[in-house]
């Protein structure tokens, strides 16, 4: 083999070696990126992203340089009729498209399939849950509110008290009388007045029975000349009357 042929061979081998090293490095870097994406998924990170395009059935976003997909069904809590709304035309220049920003969580990471799926709906749902939780925490036990019976179960009735909050009137709290079925007292759609008797673990317990007891206690107190106050409203009728001297 002459000198020129030897040099060409060495050059080719060097090129192949460099190419292989470059591909290995890119593969290693990509593996690291997919590992980070998996960690983001595990941690439930909320990612601020920009829609990069609209495709059939959803939109495209990029996370750490990896192409991700948000299905239309996971774009929002509400139904999205027109996906093109996620690409807003600039009013001054109709040839320019302004992509919408979205917040999303990673829900699927499959490096082998180069598949990355996200959900903006999950973020909205979490925000809605926290807002509802904050509203519930602001409720005060003893407050009397108006509501509408929205659902009846064998164990009681759920009442919508407004602002996206519902509470349960347990069957034992529907009336002072013994009740075998909630339908004996209320029906779906009925407007009712209820008292908040417990707020715990994101749940609200309501009572109609407590209002009946309050009304009865107030009447007894009036008959016996005892002042009945809002503080006394949280006291059972028996406890209240026990302190009354006839």
């Amino acid at each position: 083999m002459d000198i020129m042929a030897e040099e060409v061979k060495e050059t080719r081998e060097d090129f192949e070696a460099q190419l292989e090293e470059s591909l290995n490095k890119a593969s290693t870097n990509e593996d690291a990126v997919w590992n980070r994406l998996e960690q983001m998924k595990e941690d439930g990170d909320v990612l601020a992203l920009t829609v990069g395009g609209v495709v059939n059935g959803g939109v495209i976003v990029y996370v750490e340089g990896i192409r991700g997909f948000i299905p239309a069904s996971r774009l929002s809590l509400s139904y999205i009729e027109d996906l093109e709304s996620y690409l807003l035309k600039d009013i001054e220049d109709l040839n320019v498209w302004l992509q919408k920003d979205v917040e999303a969580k990673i829900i699927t990471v499959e490096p082998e399939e180069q598949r990355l799926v996200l959900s903006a709906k999950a973020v909205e749902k979490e925000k809605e849950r926290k807002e509802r939780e904050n509203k519930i925490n602001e409720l005060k036990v003893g407050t009397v509110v108006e509501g509408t019976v929205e659902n009846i179960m064998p164990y009681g009735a759920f009442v919508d008290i407004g602002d996206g909050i519902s509470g349960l009137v347990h069957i034992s709290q529907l009336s002072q009388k013994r009740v075998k079925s909630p339908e004996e007292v209320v029906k779906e759609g009925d407007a009712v007045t209820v008292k908040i008797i417990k707020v715990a673990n994101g749940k609200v317990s309501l009572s109609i029975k407590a209002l009946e007891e309050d009304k009865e206690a107030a009447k007894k107190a009036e008959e016996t000349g005892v002042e009945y106050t809002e503080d006394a409203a949280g006291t059972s009728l028996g406890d209240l009357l026990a302190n009354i001297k006839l």
Side-chain angles (χ1 to χ4, degrees):
M1 181 180 296
D2 56 31
I3 297 176
M4 183 174 291
E6 185 68 29
E7 289 178 349
V8 170
K9 180 182 178 182
E10 290 178 356
T11 301
R12 182 186 179 110
E13 289 176 348
D14 288 344
F15 173 76
E16 290 176 347
Q18 291 174 10
L19 178 59
E20 184 176 357
E21 182 181 354
S22 177
L23 290 174
N24 288 337
K25 186 179 293 185
S27 177
T28 300
N29 289 339
E30 187 171 322
D31 287 344
V33 171
W34 281 102
N35 288 337
R36 287 199 297 275
L37 295 176
E38 180 63 40
Q39 190 60 54
M40 290 176 187
K41 174 194 167 188
E42 293 300 320
D43 293 342
D45 291 348
V46 176
L47 309 175
L49 307 168
T50 300
V51 174
V54 173
V55 294
N56 186 30
V59 302
I60 299 301
V61 293
Y62 288 89
V63 186
E64 300 259 341
I66 300 295
R67 186 178 188 269
F69 178 62
I70 304 180
S73 61
R74 296 184 180 275
L75 271 171
S76 175
L77 287 173
S78 56
Y79 175 68
I80 304 298
E81 185 174 356
D82 182 16
L83 290 178
E84 292 293 337
S85 64
Y86 278 78
L87 291 174
L88 305 177
K89 279 187 177 181
D90 189 316
I91 297 176
E92 296 181 357
D93 183 356
L94 296 181
N95 294 318
V96 177
W97 293 85
L98 301 176
Q99 291 90 347
K100 270 192 177 182
D101 292 329
V102 295
E103 289 186 326
K105 286 185 176 183
I106 297 173
I107 57 174
T108 302
V109 178
E110 296 179 350
E112 300 81 5
E113 303 295 330
Q114 293 287 296
R115 186 165 179 262
L116 179 66
V117 182
L118 302 94
S119 173
K121 184 177 181 178
V123 176
E124 289 187 5
K125 195 170 184 179
E126 179 65 15
K127 286 183 178 180
E128 187 179 71
R129 185 192 67 77
K130 287 182 178 179
E131 287 177 5
R132 181 178 180 278
E133 192 175 90
N134 290 335
K135 289 176 183 177
I136 289 176
N137 290 335
E138 291 175 357
L139 296 176
K140 294 182 179 180
V141 172
T143 303
V144 176
V145 296
E146 303 295 325
T148 303
V149 178
E150 60 180 0
N151 192 20
I152 294 179
M153 304 297 287
Y155 51 83
F158 286 94
V159 176
D160 179 359
I161 59 174
D163 214 7
I165 301 173
S166 295
L168 173 66
V169 181
H170 190 268
I171 190 169
S172 64
Q173 293 296 323
L174 281 168
S175 174
Q176 286 182 296
K177 300 177 182 178
R178 185 176 179 81
V179 176
K180 292 183 179 180
S181 171
E183 283 89 348
E184 294 178 24
V185 182
V186 294
K187 293 180 176 60
E188 289 187 13
D190 282 356
V192 293
T193 303
V194 292
K195 183 176 182 178
I196 299 173
I197 58 174
K198 185 178 180 182
V199 178
N201 302 319
K203 297 179 180 180
V204 182
S205 297
L206 305 169
S207 177
I208 295 175
K209 175 184 175 181
L211 292 176
E212 295 176 350
E213 292 176 340
D214 289 348
K215 186 176 181 181
E216 187 174 331
K219 183 179 179 181
K220 290 291 184 182
E222 184 179 352
E223 291 175 352
T224 55
V226 175
E227 183 180 1
Y228 184 75
T229 65
E230 290 185 3
D231 291 335
T235 306
S236 69
L237 178 60
D239 292 338
L240 180 65
L241 297 181
N243 296 319
I244 298 176
K245 295 181 179 180
L246 301 176

